[in-house]
Amino acid sequence: MSGFFSRLDPRRVPWGAAGHALRTRVLRTKPVESMLEGTGTSAGQGARLAKVLTTLDLISLGVGSCVGTGMYVVSGLVAKEMAGPGVIVSFIIAAVASILSGVCYAEFGVRVPKTTGSAYTYSYVTVGEFVAFFIGWNLILEYLIGTAAGASALSSMFDSLANHTISRWMINSVGTLNGLGKGEESYPDLLALVIAVIVTIIVAMGVKNSVGLNNVLNVINLAVWIFIMIAGLFYIKGDNWSEGQFLPFGWPGVLKGAATCFYAFIGFDIIATTGEEAKSPNTSIPYAITASLVTCLTAYVSVSIILTLMVPYDAIDTESPLMEMFVVHGFYAAKFIVAIGSVAGLTVSLLGSLFPMPRVIYAMAGDGLLFRFLSHISSYTETPVVACIVSGFLAALLSLLVSLRDLIEMMSIGTLLAYTLVSVCVLLLRYQPESDIDGFVKFLSEEHTKKKEGILADCEKEACSPGSEGEEFAGPPTNTCGAKNLPSLGDNEMLIGKSDKSTYNVNHPNYGTVDMTSGIEADESENIYLIKLKKLIGPRYYTMRIHLGLPGKMDRPTAATGHTVTTCVLLLFVLMFIFCSFIIFGADYIYEQSWWAVLLVVLMILLIVVLVFVILQQPENPKKLPYMAPCLPFVPAFAMLVNIYLMLKLSTVTWIRFAVWCFVGESQIHLF
């Protein structure tokens, strides 16, 4: 017994070794080389995910996952209770905030194109295993509750169309139970369970079936949207916007509405989970993210214009605003047409929640952070069928038994956290030295040697064949393509004559450091934003850069500058968290203009500006990608601020449940 207690003596515990093991586990990153085709879990299982998704398919997935609830529910709710017709401005503000996170997602989709798992994989590659598990675990929660909520909402829609006969039959035949929301009585929603099971079967049967159904539902949605736009024009009244009615709640109401409207844009991250299933992920993902956000914004703004011009904002029905706005004018047939669109929109939103969930589970299981059997891919359907069945079963069970009135907010907290971490990762990665991110270029170069396809391979064949322009600069035999005054890159070197920058391809071995048309290192002046800034400022541009201490075009990041950026980003995250907390919970002191509150706010703003400026003074890595987030470090920093603010606006109950879920996840990680 004494020997047992002696081992518990703190002086005999190897704290140094334990601390090193903990740091190693927390900060361990996933090598990009492990994600090459032919390696990894998919290859080990003898089957891979099907690469069948086009750019149009990705746009359809992104639009479908967002536009259902946003168009048919959020527009009316915000217009009546928060912003009035100013909901139009609220949607525009929310779209700008969403695009800030979207461009960060788009850059990572280009950096790590052949992956699945979205923000989970991005975090694993750049930040470390612990943060990656934390993000992946909460993404699973978001998709799980989103699927259950979608099934329940669709069940409620059918019940409403049937004059609530379904709910009355369930209450009389089965009875009621206490849900996990506010403790209210609710009936076991068998219809929601059936809906969740059907959608699970469709998702498990193959990505073509899932995307095919998604595309059909989006076409129905598009047709209903066109009908609303045309039919609504006959009933609009300009008086609904006159005499101060456009902003009845003022700008505070518009900003409050923007925070709610932001959730209508959540869902574009589904595009980032399809990296292994997209035909050309390095170009499709950034384009699809941008196009889906712009499409959703167009739908939301146009519907909000028609809604607020047809019905006074204080008379809008918050339950079914688009259906009831035609009933007010006696056009009863339109109610059923819009109802078809509502069912299609809610169904495609449900599909958008269930589709990415098994893919995140598959990615985590393949990395050993969840049970390995969840990473199995069916050779018949080419989908992670086990993960589909398990996730669908859990979502169906949740929709059957749980009242989701409070849990709906849990859909947002996981996504907002993922958005924040992706913005952090972009800031960290763009300012790291060459040695720290060399794996990306090595990864892409190995891809090129294994598979040459597309226009770049054709250009290589043309440039290196006899009689091509490459012979004009015939050099030593070691220079295979004869590029004059350039060192040979062996068989991987390609000379592209008379091509423009549109042929810039991810498979080039010097991808990121060499201009494809000149063979020299890309100059920062190629940036369109810098060109506009130079024209605006004139000759004083370079003098201003020197006075501000901004890096020159020949400066390169080092380990010291990378460490400086890492420290600043961490401090920036903490400071933004404190700043947003004070803005939200200390708003009364700020409105009363208490001197200490105003001083504290000004001080924190100045510190945030200083940290951003210090990051701006550090040199960026010169590697160029087909798509890169613009205006660093301002865009990722502002995205962090918006996402942290929206997270802190969620209820206390949501944060408590979020903490419990995280605790369960932390205890589970020790099992794998």
Side-chain angles (χ1 to χ4, degrees):
M1 183 65 70
S2 60
F4 171 77
F5 284 107
S6 64
R7 287 195 295 270
L8 297 180
D9 186 353
R11 293 172 297 180
R12 303 189 62 178
V13 175
W15 295 107
H20 176 72
L22 178 63
R23 288 193 302 271
T24 301
R25 183 72 184 271
V26 169
L27 301 177
R28 181 172 59 191
T29 58
K30 182 178 182 179
V32 185
E33 293 84 351
S34 65
M35 293 179 284
L36 284 166
E37 292 185 12
T39 64
T41 58
S42 61
Q45 296 289 348
R48 299 177 183 174
L49 297 174
K51 298 179 71 66
V52 296
L53 299 181
T54 64
T55 302
L56 187 61
D57 291 332
L58 296 184
I59 295 174
S60 179
L61 283 172
V63 171
S65 63
C66 298
V67 80
T69 55
M71 189 166 73
Y72 294 101
V73 178
V74 175
S75 57
L77 176 66
V78 174
K80 182 173 184 178
E81 300 182 358
M82 301 177 189
V87 64
I88 300 167
V89 184
S90 297
F91 270 123
I92 294 174
I93 295 174
V96 172
S98 300
I99 289 173
L100 295 177
S101 298
V103 295
C104 295
Y105 259 92
E107 176 171 329
F108 259 110
V110 173
R111 285 191 180 275
V112 194
K114 298 184 182 302
T115 61
T116 191
S118 184
Y120 157 74
T121 305
Y122 302 159
S123 301
Y124 205 164
V125 169
T126 57
V127 180
E129 182 176 289
F130 178 79
V131 173
F133 178 84
F134 184 72
I135 291 297
W137 186 249
N138 285 289
L139 282 176
I140 293 174
L141 173 67
E142 174 217 343
Y143 295 137
L144 181 66
I145 295 178
T147 303
S152 297
L154 202 54
S155 173
S156 298
M157 174 65 71
F158 285 124
D159 184 44
S160 176
L161 293 175
N163 293 322
H164 302 286
T165 56
I166 299 175
S167 57
R168 286 196 294 266
W169 181 84
M170 290 296 302
I171 292 173
N172 295 331
S173 302
V174 182
T176 60
L177 49 82
N178 284 324
L180 296 181
K182 295 181 179 178
E184 71 273 9
E185 292 285 325
S186 62
Y187 62 92
D189 199 343
L190 289 176
L191 180 58
L193 182 142
V194 172
I195 292 171
V197 169
I198 292 174
V199 175
T200 299
I201 293 173
I202 294 173
V203 172
M205 288 182 63
V207 66
K208 286 186 177 180
N209 297 319
S210 305
V211 175
L213 175 62
N214 183 85
N215 293 342
V216 170
L217 294 174
N218 274 330
V219 170
I220 296 175
N221 239 340
L222 176 63
V224 172
W225 173 75
I226 294 174
F227 170 80
I228 292 173
M229 293 297 100
I230 296 176
L233 291 176
F234 294 96
Y235 301 100
I236 60 175
K237 295 180 180 179
D239 294 340
N240 292 333
W241 283 13
S242 63
E243 299 179 1
Q245 295 297 305
F246 188 79
L247 297 178
F249 301 95
W251 283 105
V254 170
L255 296 177
K256 182 180 178 181
T260 303
C261 291
F262 180 86
Y263 302 121
F265 292 92
I266 285 180
F268 66 81
D269 54 318
I270 184 179
I271 298 172
T273 66
T274 60
E276 289 189 43
E277 295 165 287
K279 292 181 178 179
S280 303
N282 58 299
T283 55
S284 296
I285 290 178
Y287 181 81
I289 288 176
T290 305
S292 62
L293 288 174
V294 172
T295 303
C296 290
L297 174 62
T298 304
Y300 296 155
V301 170
S302 58
V303 166
S304 298
I305 291 173
I306 295 294
L307 174 63
T308 54
L309 284 175
M310 285 183 63
V311 184
Y313 76 91
D314 53 355
I316 293 175
D317 183 89
T318 56
E319 296 293 331
S320 304
L322 300 188
M323 287 192 291
E324 297 301 325
M325 73 179 183
F326 287 105
V327 175
V328 171
H329 294 276
F331 192 2
Y332 295 98
K335 176 180 179 179
F336 298 98
I337 297 176
V338 176
I340 294 174
S342 299
V343 171
L346 292 174
T347 303
V348 79
S349 294
L350 168 61
L351 186 64
S353 294
L354 184 57
F355 183 85
M357 179 163 53
R359 283 151 180 81
V360 175
I361 295 174
Y362 155 77
M364 296 180 67
D367 294 331
L369 299 183
L370 292 177
F371 295 110
R372 285 283 184 181
F373 71 88
L374 294 172
S375 65
H376 173 73
I377 297 178
S378 169
S379 57
Y380 176 72
T381 63
E382 296 181 302
T383 59
V385 63
V386 178
C388 287
I389 294 173
V390 171
S391 58
F393 171 77
L394 292 176
L397 189 64
L398 195 64
S399 65
L400 172 69
L401 301 176
V402 179
S403 175
L404 296 169
R405 180 173 297 178
D406 281 347
L407 289 178
I408 284 177
E409 283 192 348
M410 293 288 287
M411 291 188 298
S412 301
I413 193 168
T415 304
L416 291 171
L417 187 63
Y419 289 0
T420 304
L421 263 294
V422 168
S423 301
V424 169
C425 291
V426 168
L427 270 179
L428 292 176
L429 201 60
R430 288 277 286 272
Y431 290 95
Q432 297 308 310
E434 181 71 22
S435 57
D436 290 350
I437 59 175
D438 183 62
F440 288 107
V441 176
K442 181 179 179 183
F443 161 60
L444 295 165
S445 299
E446 291 184 11
E447 283 285 292
H448 165 76
T449 60
K450 299 178 73 172
K451 186 178 183 180
K452 294 180 180 178
E453 60 181 6
I455 187 170
L456 197 58
D458 295 336
C459 291
E460 177 193 19
K461 181 178 179 181
E462 179 182 350
C464 297
S465 61
S468 68
E469 294 184 5
E471 287 188 347
E472 181 181 348
F473 303 103
T478 56
N479 195 328
T480 55
C481 286
K484 188 177 181 180
N485 298 327
L486 287 178
S488 172
L489 296 175
D491 292 336
N492 285 336
E493 182 177 44
M494 285 175 283
L495 181 63
I496 305 178
K498 296 183 180 180
S499 63
D500 57 21
K501 295 180 183 179
S502 63
T503 58
Y504 196 29
N505 192 289
V506 71
N507 291 324
H508 191 276
N510 253 10
Y511 167 69
T513 57
V514 172
D515 187 293
M516 298 300 292
T517 59
S518 63
I520 62 173
E521 190 171 15
D523 185 12
E524 65 172 349
S525 62
E526 296 173 0
N527 190 313
I528 186 173
Y529 301 101
L530 286 177
I531 294 175
K532 292 181 179 180
L533 185 61
K534 287 179 180 179
K535 290 181 178 180
L536 179 65
I537 299 178
R540 290 179 297 226
Y541 169 78
Y542 295 101
T543 305
M544 182 190 71
R545 290 185 64 94
I546 295 174
H547 288 163
L548 294 177
L550 301 181
K553 63 181 181 180
M554 298 305 295
D555 292 334
R556 296 293 178 265
T558 63
T561 61
H563 179 72
T564 299
V565 171
T566 302
T567 303
C568 288
V569 170
L570 294 178
L571 291 175
L572 192 63
F573 179 86
V574 174
L575 188 58
M576 285 181 173
F577 190 90
I578 298 173
F579 174 74
C580 293
S581 300
F582 187 73
I583 290 293
I584 294 172
F585 302 111
D588 293 337
Y589 299 105
I590 299 174
Y591 292 146
E592 294 172 0
Q593 296 185 353
S594 300
W595 68 268
W596 63 270
V598 175
L599 179 62
L600 189 58
V601 169
V602 172
L603 182 61
M604 286 190 289
I605 292 176
L606 288 176
L607 288 176
I608 290 175
V609 172
V610 168
L611 287 174
V612 172
F613 183 71
V614 171
I615 296 174
L616 185 64
Q617 288 181 315
Q618 311 308 312
E620 289 188 43
N621 193 283
K623 282 185 169 44
K624 303 297 179 185
L625 301 170
Y627 182 87
M628 302 178 76
C631 301
L632 250 68
F634 303 107
V635 167
F638 193 69
M640 288 169 55
L641 183 64
V642 171
N643 294 326
I644 291 172
Y645 175 82
L646 292 174
M647 279 193 293
L648 291 173
K649 288 287 287 184
L650 298 175
S651 66
T652 304
V653 175
T654 299
W655 278 94
I656 293 174
R657 289 170 176 157
F658 174 72
V660 171
W661 177 259
C662 293
F663 177 78
V664 172
E666 190 276 334
S667 61
Q668 292 297 315
I669 195 173
H670 298 296
L671 299 176
F672 307 110

